[in-house]
Structures are given as C-alpha cells and as structure tokens.
Amino acid sequence: MSAAKPRSDVPHLAVTDLVAGYVPDVPILRGASLRVDDGEIVAVLGPNGAGKSTLVKAVAGLVPARSGDILVHGASILGLATHKLVGTGVAYVPQVGNVFTRLSVEENLELGGLGGPPSRTRQRIAGMYALFPDLARFRRLAAGRLSGGQRQMVAVARALMAEPHLLMLDEPSAGLSPRMVELVFQKLLEIRAVGVSILLVEQNAKAALAICDRGYVLAEGRERFEGSGRDLLASPEIGALYLGATTRLAS
Amino acid sequence: MIQVLADGVVAASFIVLGVVGLSMIYNILNFPSFAQGDHIATGAYIALGIVALAGTAGSIAGLSFGWPLIGALICATILNGLLALLIDRSIYRQLRLRNASRISLIMASFGVALMLRNLIVLLAGHDPQYYAFAIQPALSIGGARITPNDLLAVIVTTMMVVALHLFLSRTTLGKSMRAVSENPSLARVNGIDVDRVIRWTWLIGAGLAAIAGVLLGLSVQVNPSMGFELLLPMFAAMIVGGVTSVYGAVLGALLIGVAEAITVHYIAPEYRQAVAFLVVILVLLARPQGILGEKA
C-alpha cells in the first residue's frame, strides 16, 4: 500500500514558504520552510502559538495552505485529501485524540494498515507487538482504557502500520512522565533505525534535541533558526528567546 | 405477563430497525435526522408499489403473503437506501461542503421529512393500505399468542441485529464506521475515505428503515405517517440507550417497546408514549449518559 521506496537524494518532505491558517487572512504560518531528508530525525521547536502544530496539520491536509508548497518525495501534495496522505508514504500522529478510544488496540492497528492484504496486516501487527511488547498484552482492550504512555504507543504503532517513509509526530511527550518520555523517544530511535524518517514537533526541547539530527526553531509562523540538535541545545540565545523554561531546566 | 412481554418485543422490533439508522447517522454525520421516520414510510410504500405490480399471490407457512412480498422487501431495502443516498448528495452533502452548522442539518432533515411524507400522499393518497388481507390465525408460543407476521418481524429484527453486530465488529467497513463515528479527523489521517463511510451509513440506515416499514405495514397497515409516528419512540430509545452506542439504541428500543406494551395492557393505550418517556426520565436520572453511553 505504501509508495515505492523513493530516491534517497530527494527530501522526503520539503515545505517551502508555507502560508497556512484556519481562517483566511489570519495566517498562523507566515512563510515557513523546512525539509526532512532520508533517515533523518528533524525536530520542530518553538514557543506556544509559533505554528508548530499547524505546520504538521497543513502537511496532513487538515489546515488549508494559502500559498507556498509542500513536496513529498519531490511531488506537490497541496490540496490532497487527508485520507490519501498515507498513500504517499507519510503517516501522522496527532497530539490529542490520536487513538480510537472505543476500539480495541488490535482494531486500532488494523485500521492503520487499511488497504493492504490481510496477511500483510497480520504480519505488520505482529511486528508492532514485537516493537511494543506492552501492547500485545492489551490487544483486546479498548484503547481508551490504557495509560497515556500506552496510548501514545498505540498511536505510533497505528501510524507505522501503513509502512510510511516519514512519520510526523505532534508532541508525543505531552502529558507523559519523564520516564515515559524517555521510553517513547527511545522507540523513535528504533523506528528510525529501520529506515523511517521522523518529523517531531515538540514542546519538550531538551528531549527532542537530544535525539534529533537537525532542528528548526519556529516563532511567529516562520523558522528562525536551523541547526544540529547539539548546536541548538548549546545556543544560549535560542534557549532564552525561544525555548522557554524547558531549556532553562536543561542548562 | 408473558403476553405483554411478547407484545413489547414485537413493538420494539420496528423501533429497533428504525433506530439503528437514526443512531448511525447521528454518530457518523453528527446530527439527529428527523426524517428517519419518513424513510421508514418510503420503504413501506416502495414495497407497496412493487407488490401492486407483482401481486402477493400465495402464502408461505401461515404468513399473510407470498414470495413476491419477500422480493418486494429486498428491492425496497435497496431502493430506499439509494433514495437516501440521492437525498444526501443533493441536500446534506451540499450543507457539509459549506460547513453548515448542526442546527442547519437538523432543519434540513425536517424539510426532507415533510417532503417525503407529502410525496407519499401525492403519489399514494392519505388512506391506509395493506399488503394483503389474508386472515392469520395467531400461534401460541410459550403462553403468548402471536401472529405469524409479528413473529416474522421479531425473527427478521433479531437476524438484522446479529448481522449488524458481525458487520461492525468483523468487517473493515464496519470498523471504519466505528472509527469515523468516534473521531472523523483521525479516521481521515488513517486513510479512511469518510465520504464512502457516509454513503454506506445512508444505505444501511435507510435499508433497515425500509425493512421496518414493510414489517410494520404487515403487522398494522401502511399509511403516510406510519414512520413519523415512530420518530418519538426512536429518539427515546436512542437517548435512553446512550446516543454514542448503536447497541444502546437497540436495548433502549426494547425497553421502550416493553414499557409501551405494559401501559397498553395495564393502564390505557393513550398513556403509551407518556409512560415510555417517564421510563426515559427515570433511567436518565440514574444514568445521565444512557444505558450504554459514555460520560461526556
């Protein structure tokens, strides 16, 4: 069901000068650009209201783009219906409401693998239980009855069912205990190791910068800084201006 | 007492078949369709039209009708679904594309309800009509007397509820419907074509309404307001069962049906709906979210 393996020299995702927002004439993104290359973990950081979530929602087709472009493997996906995004090899894990709470864990995973042959879906589900052993124990349980961390695992596993090349996560650490954040981010490294690139929108700058290859700092709807995780983490200017309390804790 | 229960289950059958559509449309399209009762009537009249052309010759195993009615029932189920699909495309879909509010959709469904009812009057007149006039001796089952037609209604309804359960729990489309009813945005992100799910919701909801209409027509009579009169009991059933759950709606319908039968038997038929709503109020006082509903 997923797109053919793309050339590795073309970015998985390239966003250029994107202007987007829920209401016409009130753009939240005001010309944002970023790219995710093959095998990268890219973090998008910034203060509240900077447009981090809007950026991934615009890629997912949930927020209309007014101008600029969004390229997946070199092809524009502007105007693509949300339900067709998964077919381009991009999977998205929203920040809230990212599991079907009334459906069982296994049903959540099945729906993530829609469109593939049933034998492939079963094989993928087994793969997800190997990656997230906890989930196998709760396979028949309604996802709404799981803890926040377990739900996040279901959400990520559900997204991976479609065999994406790029996984977009909107604040996977929100509401999780520090130990759980560490566990989730450890899983992201494992996921990248099997060839899935990751675009990570995070409030928790310290945790995100620790695992990312590159990061962007977004403010007022545009990217203000771009650099390696280490550089961004070390920059006092960025910490003070844009990353707020989380980096003060880090330093 | 057994007779009262039997009458209640028969009365519940028609409510069950109607309320499933009401509940599915409410949960997937996010508005209560006040036209659901009239979809029951259109189904009954489509079958009546087919029977008028093909006749109801013969009788199967004590039922008041022959094989042509079974054929008419199946055709009416499909045609009624297609009619609902046509209405959705020409009316509700236009409103969805314009991001119409829930109240606009509700008012539109009132309009559809009036349109369907008056279309029936225009084409078939006000007078009650019947599929067949054969006299049916009632069967005696476990101390309750029940006509073969009513027994058929209970059996068909039970089969449909079981089929619905298997559909929702085993098939990809059924699971997709549950997904859309809970979180349409996440469903889209998952690659579920929500428009396709909406089309199937109308087909199934109006299809089951047609079955309700034909069975009700066989049990009582066919008239233009037969479905509209079921609308209040259906809403009561959906609310008492918990609006987020199709299974709750089925349980709610049973409760309303039996409450109505008890009232008819021990108090007076005129108090039927009053007592049904009293039951609704009592249940909601104890469980505001309904029998199987989730807390908001």
Side-chain angles (χ1 to χ4, degrees):
Chain A
M1 65 178 299
S2 58
K5 184 70 183 167
R7 287 165 50 195
S8 57
D9 55 342
V10 178
H12 278 322
L13 175 70
V15 174
T16 48
D17 300 324
L18 188 65
V19 177
Y22 297 89
V23 188
D25 307 323
V26 189
I28 298 172
L29 292 176
R30 302 170 190 185
S33 302
L34 63 73
R35 63 167 216 287
V36 183
D37 291 329
D38 190 29
E40 271 193 315
I41 296 182
V42 173
V44 178
L45 311 165
N48 275 328
K52 305 188 298 292
S53 288
T54 309
L55 181 68
V56 278
K57 282 183 188 164
V59 174
L62 295 171
V63 173
R66 309 289 166 192
S67 67
D69 208 350
I70 303 168
L71 305 175
V72 170
H73 306 137
S76 176
I77 60 158
L78 278 189
L80 187 77
T82 298
H83 72 268
K84 290 183 177 156
L85 180 76
V86 89
T88 69
V90 179
Y92 164 54
V93 180
Q95 182 185 351
V96 291
N98 55 20
V99 296
F100 297 109
T101 56
R102 288 183 223 143
L103 270 57
S104 72
V105 168
E106 187 136 324
E107 286 171 334
N108 267 278
L109 298 186
E110 278 171 38
L111 287 179
L114 273 185
S119 59
R120 183 76 187 133
T121 303
R122 279 195 300 277
Q123 206 180 338
R124 292 289 294 173
I125 289 176
M128 289 307 134
Y129 289 151
L131 184 62
F132 303 105
D134 265 4
L135 299 187
R137 286 193 289 137
F138 302 122
R139 59 202 293 171
R140 301 260 167 256
L141 204 65
R145 298 182 55 195
L146 301 179
S147 72
Q150 289 161 343
R151 276 198 216 194
Q152 200 59 259
M153 303 287 188
V154 174
V156 172
R158 193 219 79 228
L160 289 175
M161 282 295 297
E163 304 182 58
H165 302 129
L166 173 68
L167 181 63
M168 298 195 298
L169 298 127
D170 193 353
E171 299 213 21
S173 76
L176 300 187
S177 67
R179 208 193 67 81
M180 212 57 196
V181 173
E182 200 179 317
L183 192 64
V184 169
F185 280 39
Q186 187 56 43
K187 290 295 174 192
L188 296 185
L189 288 171
E190 286 177 37
I191 290 161
R192 191 262 298 269
V194 297
V196 179
S197 309
I198 293 172
L199 179 64
L200 178 66
V201 165
E202 258 304 340
Q203 219 33 277
N204 187 337
K206 182 191 167 194
L209 290 173
I211 67 159
C212 75
D213 302 302
R214 279 189 306 120
Y216 292 89
V217 178
L218 221 64
E220 288 159 17
R222 298 197 53 189
E223 79 287 358
R224 301 285 156 158
F225 296 94
E226 180 196 346
S228 69
R230 187 178 310 165
D231 289 350
L232 290 177
L233 201 54
S235 161
E237 181 194 16
I238 290 168
L241 282 175
Y242 296 109
L243 302 182
T246 40
T247 37
R248 278 202 293 279
L249 281 175
S251 56
Chain B
M1 189 62 207
I2 289 178
Q3 184 64 49
V4 178
L5 272 180
D7 291 347
V9 171
V10 171
S13 298
F14 313 121
I15 305 175
V16 166
L17 290 173
V19 80
V20 166
L22 186 67
S23 171
M24 286 173 78
I25 289 160
Y26 180 85
N27 282 298
I28 287 174
L29 287 109
N30 203 23
F31 76 96
S33 168
F34 283 80
Q36 181 65 8
D38 298 285
H39 283 293
I40 291 176
T42 56
Y45 274 90
I46 291 170
L48 193 69
I50 296 168
V51 165
L53 295 174
T56 51
S59 165
I60 318 162
L63 299 165
S64 71
F65 53 86
W67 288 108
L69 191 90
I70 306 286
L73 171 66
I74 294 166
C75 290
T77 304
I78 297 165
L79 290 174
N80 208 41
L82 293 176
L83 173 67
L85 214 52
L86 182 73
I87 292 170
D88 182 66
R89 265 199 99 71
S90 51
I91 298 171
Y92 301 121
R93 184 161 178 272
Q94 305 306 321
L95 291 169
R96 284 199 299 278
L97 290 174
R98 287 163 180 76
N99 290 319
S101 66
R102 184 189 253 194
I103 194 75
S104 306
L105 289 161
I106 293 172
M107 294 319 288
S109 77
F110 267 115
V112 169
L114 288 172
M115 196 182 74
L116 291 177
R117 212 174 313 149
N118 287 293
L119 189 67
I120 289 170
V121 173
L122 190 71
L123 294 175
H126 279 290
D127 298 331
Q129 304 196 45
Y130 300 88
Y131 291 113
F133 286 102
I135 304 285
Q136 285 192 293
L139 304 171
S140 184
I141 297 170
R145 295 186 68 73
I146 184 168
T147 66
N149 282 3
D150 285 350
L151 185 63
L152 180 77
V154 174
I155 292 170
V156 169
T157 303
T158 310
M159 282 166 46
M160 287 298 146
V161 170
V162 171
L164 181 77
H165 169 68
L166 293 176
F167 169 73
L168 290 174
S169 61
R170 302 283 167 85
T171 68
T172 302
L173 182 59
K175 288 172 198 171
S176 301
M177 280 187 168
R178 286 160 60 209
V180 173
S181 81
E182 184 188 322
N183 190 337
S185 158
L186 185 63
R188 283 199 172 88
V189 166
N190 253 309
I192 293 172
D193 183 349
V194 173
D195 289 334
R196 178 167 168 266
V197 165
I198 288 174
R199 289 197 292 277
W200 277 103
T201 305
W202 285 111
L203 280 173
I204 294 168
L208 290 175
I211 297 174
V214 173
L215 294 175
L216 183 61
L218 282 170
S219 177
V220 190
Q221 55 172 226
V222 179
N223 71 61
S225 61
M226 62 190 284
F228 178 66
E229 282 156 13
L230 268 184
L231 192 63
L232 270 182
M234 286 196 294
F235 268 106
M238 181 169 83
I239 292 163
V240 80
V243 287
T244 54
S245 168
V246 173
Y247 302 109
V250 171
L251 284 181
L254 270 177
L255 188 66
I256 300 294
V258 171
E260 287 192 355
I262 289 173
T263 316
V264 170
H265 207 80
Y266 293 109
I267 308 171
E270 304 86 78
Y271 290 108
R272 198 171 58 197
Q273 293 205 331
V275 171
F277 274 88
L278 192 66
V279 170
V280 171
I281 291 168
L282 290 177
V283 171
L284 293 184
L285 279 175
R287 233 184 117 73
Q289 71 272 37
I291 301 170
L292 294 184
E294 291 170 0
K295 287 200 177 102

